[in-house]
Amino acid sequence: MILAIINYILVAGVAAVSVLGFINGAGDGYDMFGAGGLPFPILALLFVLWRALASPSKKLGAHYFLWPAALVLVSRTLFPAAAAEWHDAHAALVVASVLLPALLRADLVWLVVFAFAAVSSSALVYFEQREMVAAGGASFYLVTAQLTVAAFLAGFIPWLILRKRNAAQNEEYNKTLEEVRNNAINDGMARARAMPQQDGAKKGAAGPTDTGLVSANTILMDSSSTDTFTLLKDGGDGVNAQLKAMLPFMRYNFKALTACAFIYDSAGRTLALNCHETKGGIQIAEQAQISVGKGNIGQVAADRKLFMSGDLALYGGQPPYYAQNANVSSLIAAPIVWEYWEFKNGARDKKIEEFLGVLVVDSINKNAFNEHDKEVMKKFSSIAAALIKNIQMNLTLEHNAKMFEVYYNISQQFSVALKTDEVFNAIMEKIPSIVPSCMRQIVILHDQETNTLELRHITGTKGELAGAEKWKFPPASGGIYSYAFNNYNNGPVNIPDLQAVKGYRFVSNEPLTPATRSLLVIPIIGGEERRCLGLFSVESDAPGVFGTGAAGDDHPLKKQLTTIIENASVAVTRSLLYLKMEKYATTDGLTGLNNHRTFQEKLAQELERARRSRLPLSLLLTDIDFFKKFNDTHGHPVGDMVLREVAACIRNAVRLNDFPARYGGEEFGVILPETDPNGAFIIADRIRQIIEAHVVDSGTDKLRVTISVGCATIPVHCATQQEIIDCADKALYASKRAGRNCVTVYAPGMTVAAK
């Protein structure tokens, strides 16, 4: 800038000295060849032409083009004796001084040179012919008009022609760039859509996994994120094809050795090589990374400004993306920036510039790039930004569509699910399509009666939790799940890397889990009191899948899973209410055993199963001895207590597949599938002995009761449902007649009388 100002001052000084005649005739005695000083402006014109051709990447300042016109004035003034002889030559040099910038510069520098040449030349002629002008001579006006018109046309006509040609070329070039851009977008989107299915096919070809959780429709990326590096990394080749499709065109356009694209990784503040196009035989460092601010390319990322070198050796040597020296001599790098406006109250509020990466082309030739290339590089940069944002937008739409489909399908299943198992099965079926590398899912429900947390469902890689279903642990165990349960109002608990945490999940002596890295535990909140019904957790073998876990971290994947579980909470609450209603409908309210209606339905089912399997089915009917007298003596509240205690003894005495029920009043029934008369007698007597030994603590007295039991078996004693009930009832009456507190197996001839 200072040098240019000095040049302008010198040019103005030379013109003033020449016009005012301070050096008039000073060179006549030295004009040995009679050239009239013409070599000076000619040499100046040749020098400017050489500078322009030798350094096409540098735009010559206007002061360079002013010097030839100024030296024409000097030659006329220094050698006035030859001025008349070389008048036309001087005029031609003035015209050439205006023509040169019109040919070499696309802007209006020629107009500046024309104005300077026209004014200074006219002033010089005026001072030379001022006496003639004063006398009214017209030659001055004619000469200056001719020179002015000739100089103007010499600049204007080529400038106009070149301007129109450049405009046409730019229009054609822009059409070509737009075609490349559209082709890249269409091709890349097609690849991006095909990638999940291709990946799924490859995974499926590898054989089944032990988890069964790999889905061909897994949503591999979080496209709602604005992290471009993650977008391109997780999107795979289908997304990266956008940029790669543009690079061959860039390399051809710039006649470059290599064209490459770096993507900005905001987490590490580095530029990562995304894709490249280079000459055959050139080795590229595929994993090349450049820190922001380091080297020429890193400085482009730091300053967000284009960089162009004439001789790269002056800027620190070879680019860092080559595996070996490629003898690169010049380079041009442009930032990829996406510009958009933030709106506030419906109006533009703030312009945002999102930095996405850097485009780079290089050459083995020095000064390989010029000012026009800088403009073209900026266009490629804007195309690259549009490519990235277009694919991000399309993938976001596809991702949202898939998520909507997931939400809709799960909601549909929630709406018809009446049992908690159906609700959680619907969730566990869909979660692997949302969570990358989903390893395991766990459902834990809270049992209010025992105040324990129970592992109800485990899907995926069970590993150290194999066989842990129905395992219970207290809410105060101090583990991660206990913390999530007790602090459910704080929302999900996100552990980015379980291996870096010293605590435990359930209890302190639990088996180790070396495979789990990411862990997200989401409370299931429901009911009118908005209590924690349980916990749902998702595990992954990759760290940081659900975010950093820091306060305020709002990872999209965590939000999506939380939304699903919140919707599930309504279905879980409804299913628990349904189970409670079902329990009320099938369970005796006093004893907790199955009621008479459920007993009859179960007996019919077991009878049908016994007929198909041709296995025996036994029935026990029991009656508490002297219960009416006991009730009258101790009162109904104590009588109710006795009924509950007897029911508990029966429940604890029978086998897992036996079916105890309250038959009515003080009578109880027990259905014994696949049990013959001898087995029925053994079970009945075990029940009798347990009840006989049991002490009922009424608070004031220690009470004991006994029972009488009757047994009957299909097909030994009877064939129908009513017959087996009648036979068991007759056997019960026989026990009463035998003195009570005993077990009787039905025998033909038994009758029923008053008990």
Side-chain angles (χ1 to χ4, degrees), residues 689-709:
Q689 291 179 29
I690 290 174
I691 293 174
E692 182 182 17
H694 184 72
V695 177
V696 179
D697 188 355
S698 66
T700 57
D701 298 304
K702 306 291 184 181
L703 307 175
R704 294 176 183 272
V705 294
T706 59
I707 62 169
S708 298
V709 186

Side-chain angles (χ1 to χ4, degrees), residues 640-660:
D640 290 345
M641 180 186 298
V642 169
L643 288 173
R644 286 193 293 270
E645 298 275 348
V646 169
C649 290
I650 294 174
R651 186 185 300 110
N652 294 330
V654 299
R655 301 167 302 185
L656 200 61
N657 61 332
D658 296 335
F659 191 84

Side-chain angles (χ1 to χ4, degrees), residues 25-300:
D28 280 341
Y30 304 96
D31 190 10
M32 295 179 293
F33 301 103
L38 289 177
F40 297 118
I42 292 174
L43 289 175
L45 287 170
L46 293 175
F47 173 77
V48 172
L49 184 61
W50 172 77
R51 282 296 303 270
L53 297 177
S55 302
S57 62
K58 294 182 179 180
K59 186 181 290 186
L60 294 180
H63 57 276
Y64 280 96
F65 298 101
L66 293 174
W67 274 111
L71 291 176
V72 171
L73 301 177
V74 172
S75 65
R76 284 178 62 105
T77 306
L78 283 175
F79 307 100
E85 180 182 355
W86 296 106
H87 172 77
D88 292 341
H90 286 139
L93 287 173
V94 171
V95 172
S97 299
V98 179
L99 174 63
L100 190 62
L103 295 175
L104 298 179
R105 290 280 296 262
D107 49 19
L108 294 175
V109 171
W110 72 271
L111 195 58
V112 175
V113 177
F114 162 74
F116 170 76
V119 172
S120 59
S121 297
S122 298
L124 179 61
V125 174
Y126 173 79
F127 278 105
E128 290 177 347
Q129 301 179 13
R130 58 182 176 274
E131 295 179 358
M132 188 181 298
V133 174
S139 62
F140 162 73
Y141 299 103
L142 182 60
V143 170
T144 55
Q146 289 176 344
L147 180 62
T148 301
V149 171
F152 179 79
L153 294 177
F156 177 73
I157 293 175
W159 172 80
L160 183 63
I161 294 173
L162 292 176
R163 183 171 177 268
K164 289 186 176 181
R165 190 183 70 177
N166 289 338
Q169 288 178 342
N170 285 336
E171 184 179 357
E172 184 66 26
Y173 190 76
N174 288 334
K175 287 182 179 178
T176 305
L177 288 180
E178 185 66 20
E179 184 179 351
V180 170
R181 171 183 175 274
N182 292 335
N183 289 340
I185 291 176
N186 295 333
D187 179 64
M189 279 305 303
R191 291 171 179 266
R193 294 188 186 99
M195 280 301 292
Q197 284 76 11
Q198 293 171 0
D199 290 347
K202 292 177 183 177
K203 291 176 182 176
T209 65
D210 61 341
T211 66
L213 293 178
V214 177
S215 171
N217 294 317
T218 298
I219 304 173
L220 294 175
M221 55 171 291
D222 168 33
S223 53
S224 62
S225 171
T226 56
D227 183 354
T228 307
F229 178 75
T230 303
L231 166 72
L232 296 182
K233 181 182 69 172
D234 293 347
D237 293 340
V239 177
N240 296 332
Q242 315 310 297
L243 293 177
K244 191 167 180 62
M246 185 177 68
L247 296 184
F249 187 71
M250 287 180 61
R251 181 169 172 261
Y252 173 79
N253 179 81
F254 292 105
K255 297 179 176 57
L257 176 66
T258 299
C260 55
F262 286 85
I263 300 302
Y264 178 54
D265 180 6
S266 58
R269 281 189 56 79
T270 58
L271 294 169
L273 181 62
N274 179 266
C275 52
H276 59 84
E277 176 71 22
T278 190
K279 182 180 178 181
I282 301 297
Q283 295 184 9
I284 299 294
E286 300 288 348
Q287 305 300 321
Q289 290 190 345
I290 302 172
S291 299
V292 172
K294 184 178 180 181
N296 304 320
I297 300 174
Q299 200 60 45
V300 170

